[in-house]
Amino acid sequence: MKIKYPQSYPHSFSVEEVVIAFQTNSESGLSQPEAEKRTREFGPNIYQAQKQKSIWLMMLLQFKSPIVYLLFFAVAVTFYFQNIIEAIAILVVIMVNAAIGFLMELQARNSMNALKEMDVIHSKVIRDGKVQEIPSEKIVPGDIIVLEAGDVIPGDAHLIESNQLQCEESSLTGESLPIEKNTDKLAKDIALGDQFNMVFKGTSVTNGTGKAVITGIAQHTQLGTITSLVESSKEKETPLDKKIGALSKKLIWITLAMTGIFAITGIIQGKDWVLLLETSIALSVAAFPEGLPIVATVALAYGMLLMAKRNAIVKKLSAVETLGSTNVILTDKTGTLTENKIYVDTFSFPNEKIKVSIKDNVLSFAEGNIKNSEAEFQKLILIGALCNNASPKNGDDKTELIGDPIEIALVHLADASGSATEELKLQYERTGEIPFSSDTKIMGTLHKNSNGFFIAAKGSVEHLLIKCSKIQTGATIQNLSEDDRKNILTQSEEMAADGLRVLAFAFNEEGEINKDDFLNSLVYVAMIGFLDPPRLDIKEAMLTCRKAGIKIVMITGDHPLTALNIAKKVGLVDENEQNAITGIDMPDMESLSDEWNKKILSTAVFARTTPKQKLEIVATYQKAGNIVAMTGDGVNDAPALKKSDIGIAMGLRGTQVAKETASIILKDDSFESITQAVSHGREIFQNIQKFVIYLVSCNLSEIFIVTSLGFIVPTSTLLPLQILFLNMVTDVFPALALGLGKGDKTVMERPPRDPKLLIISNRDWITISLYAAAMTLAVIIAVVYCKQIISTDSKIINNVAFITLAFAQLFHVFNMSSPHSNFFVNEITKNKFVWIALLICTALMVLVFAIPQMRSVLRLDVLPAQVWLVSILAGLIPLLSVQVYKFIWERKSSK
């Protein structure tokens, strides 16, 4: 029988009714064949792709520019005066320029699409009676989804189980506080914000666990309904776009000023007004690098793909630029600084501490005698197996588990001790759960067996001891005295000082049970010290960050002694450091004194912190003027990830909420990948600066040259079409090559740049003006020399100016190397794209002179070898003069 889909009021169903309505099973879920059938029937769980610009529209938009409008005006003028060849040539230039812009934008879009495909959200569903992780797009109506804190909900769903489940629905309802959920049947006319038995696509689970029946996917969700009303979304202007916009305004004013000077001079000299008009338009084109935004986008997109290969998926273009300014990284400990491979290392029973190891599923005892604590050991194994949500990733493969690493380690411990976890769970049926939260730091489960109820609990030592009133020693259970508490806390601190993550375990199987609040009057059993070794590559990464002027701060929920121990091992702090601020000691940030503010800014290790405190630490560093990158993996990290300038989520162990919130996702959860991402971010911005300076200096030189030649040799000044051709040859390909370069590898040996600075600083404008002046001088020298020595023919002199400027601009690309780099071996000479660009440009120059029709269009002539030699030598003047200056400056600076 075919199910009715979509259902209008799924919240008005009871648990039994919704299961029947969607023809599913609350325990075993859908069968795989049925799920595949429903996928074919209802389609994938994705929104209709936002309409992208069509290929034709993308091409047409290449002409949407004031510069192009001016060129079309020039075409109209030349047609009017019957200069057909020149008009056609300008049209060809317009079309070629549009084609290049089109290809660059298409490449950038493809790069972004490739990055989007790398970050696939997964959801846990029950299929054929087994919990599986599948891509959320494969969810179908009737699927039973399993929910826990940190999950992003893949579709609208009716709850059939709820264990203290809370969801954050502000994106849908505007309600900022988490909403408590239940399974109660509701009336049809209930408001969306009051549908407590429903969870909605795109919202997130902040606490608890649950199961739900999918009642709506894709467009048939509350979020899908809202999305379908929005035809298009306006793209947010990135900081880089704003900086390019500011640069464009300056260039426009420079263009207007220089064009005005040229036009007034021409009128005074009595030049033909048509030539003045065409040349003024050409000067406008020459001064403004119209391909700059496209080249910048391509450089960023290419850089993002390279960063993805280095295990950092960048979700936002603006994040690439901000990375280059980061000077503080707030990092988690587990999995980022450590391997995130948890091993059971130590048992601490009331009367004995035992070192253990598990290898090949065999438990061995390195130190101590387990026989003296056999009763506590058996109870410890039982608690660890029951108070546990780790499960097999695939039902048939029991060796690969999904879940919290500590819970996975506890399953391995139970199995290695001869007590199969699955068998224990069958014997002790779970009837209730109080999930772990960052506030309580305790997890408890309620079970029922043939002897009655059994409570299993685990959590931080100090928090769990508050819930304990008794202690088990051997087979005896007695009251927990204050001395016992002090001894246990002392032992836990000693274990934490050894770098172990310590959890306490307790139980209760006597007395009356409150099913809603059963974590009281517990019996303390033991502690387990878990070892999470530091990553082998972390010390080198820490050293790299120090050289780069980046401060590293650890923020963790672990014990302060454990945090300090790891911080020392990875080189975050020195061996004598004893200062770690704990969350309980931190004051309210709203009333933060100057003394506490300085203390926070000077501390490298924060322990036992809450989500609110993480957020406040980020804010404190930002108020001090820092650019903050924050790493996180849990739902409780999401506020701090969003608040930080760069949110970095863990790809392996990160929750979906963290991944959705972050700007960057690390595929390997390694801190080394963060340093590589920062390094690459700096290189990318450095490349952007290089090609911007290159483009602007080349274009500015054309303005200087045309204006100068207007005074020196008015009849031989560069023609509009020649300027346009030079822009196509010397602008696009070398600039693109600079944008795709690997950058200066010494970027991590210098402090980060000031994010408030524009792409081109006032000092850069001076450098650009000097570059332009050097190229102008080279052309003037070549023109004057040829006029005095070789020929007074205005056409030859014009050709000399054209060739000299072409070579000067091509050689000028080598001036873009770093100030202190070697002339022959640097990031420019090692950039293969630069050499490819130079070959393409040279080939185009040869073709222009080799094809008579091209020569005619550009008003060029076959020139003697002497002219070529003079032009090439003069074209070397800007390169040689700049390199000599760098060499002298380098020697002067080294003294």
Side-chain angles (χ1 to χ4, degrees), residues 534-545:
R535 286 179 178 263
L536 297 176
D537 57 358
I538 198 66
K539 277 195 173 182
E540 186 66 29
M542 289 288 171
L543 183 61
T544 300
C545 286

Side-chain angles (χ1 to χ4, degrees), residues 343-346 355-359 362-366 413 416:
Y343 305 96
V344 174
D345 182 83
T346 305
K355 296 281 285 185
V356 301
S357 66
I358 300 174
K359 188 175 182 181
V362 175
L363 177 66
S364 59
F365 304 96
L413 171 64

Side-chain angles (χ1 to χ4, degrees), residues 729-746:
V729 171
T730 59
D731 275 14
V732 175
F733 296 110
L736 191 56
L738 290 172
L740 302 182
K742 292 185 178 179
D744 178 10
K745 295 304 178 185
T746 64

Side-chain angles (χ1 to χ4, degrees), residues 604-724:
V605 178
F606 293 84
R608 292 291 193 240
T609 51
T610 65
K612 184 173 183 291
Q613 288 169 335
K614 290 182 181 181
L615 183 68
E616 291 170 338
I617 292 169
V618 171
T620 301
Y621 271 96
Q622 288 177 326
K623 286 178 183 176
N626 297 288
I627 303 299
V628 180
M630 170 79 190
T631 73
D633 62 349
V635 64
N636 57 342
D637 295 321
L641 288 172
K642 190 171 185 179
K643 173 68 176 173
S644 65
D645 299 285
I646 293 287
I648 304 174
M650 303 297 107
L652 295 178
R653 60 189 171 86
T655 60
Q656 293 171 9
V657 170
K659 293 177 186 178
E660 287 290 309
T661 306
S663 304
I664 295 175
I665 300 173
L666 298 183
K667 292 192 288 185
D668 60 355
D669 293 9
S670 171
F671 189 86
E672 174 67 17
S673 293
I674 300 176
T675 60
Q676 288 182 356
V678 172
S679 173
H680 205 59
R682 290 187 180 186
E683 291 173 25
I684 289 170
F685 191 81
Q686 191 182 66
N687 287 343
I688 291 173
Q689 285 184 308
K690 285 177 182 176
F691 72 65
V692 168
I693 291 173
Y694 174 79
L695 282 173
V696 176
S697 58
C698 285
N699 291 20
L700 195 59
S701 71
E702 293 166 2
I703 292 287
F704 289 171
I705 290 166
V706 171
T707 307
S708 301
L709 293 182
F711 291 101
I712 300 172
V713 281
T715 58
S716 301
T717 190
L718 291 172
L719 301 172
L721 201 55
Q722 292 173 338
I723 294 173
L724 291 171

Side-chain angles (χ1 to χ4, degrees), residues 439-442 459-468 608:
D439 295 322
T440 64
K441 299 189 184 301
I442 300 173
S460 75
V461 180
E462 55 266 44
H463 287 80
L464 191 61
L465 277 180
I466 296 173
K467 302 290 185 179
C468 294
R608 292 291 193 240

Side-chain angles (χ1 to χ4, degrees), residues 395-414:
D396 298 330
D397 184 5
K398 304 295 184 183
T399 59
E400 189 173 2
L401 303 172
I402 56 174
D404 183 87
I406 281 185
E407 293 190 339
I408 291 173
L410 289 172
V411 171
H412 291 320
L413 171 64

Side-chain angles (χ1 to χ4, degrees), residues 381-382 385-386 414 419-429:
I381 296 298
L382 177 62
L386 297 180
S419 302
T421 305
E422 294 298 323
E423 293 181 6
L424 292 175
K425 287 184 176 181
L426 289 175
Q427 294 174 24
Y428 291 81
E429 178 188 357

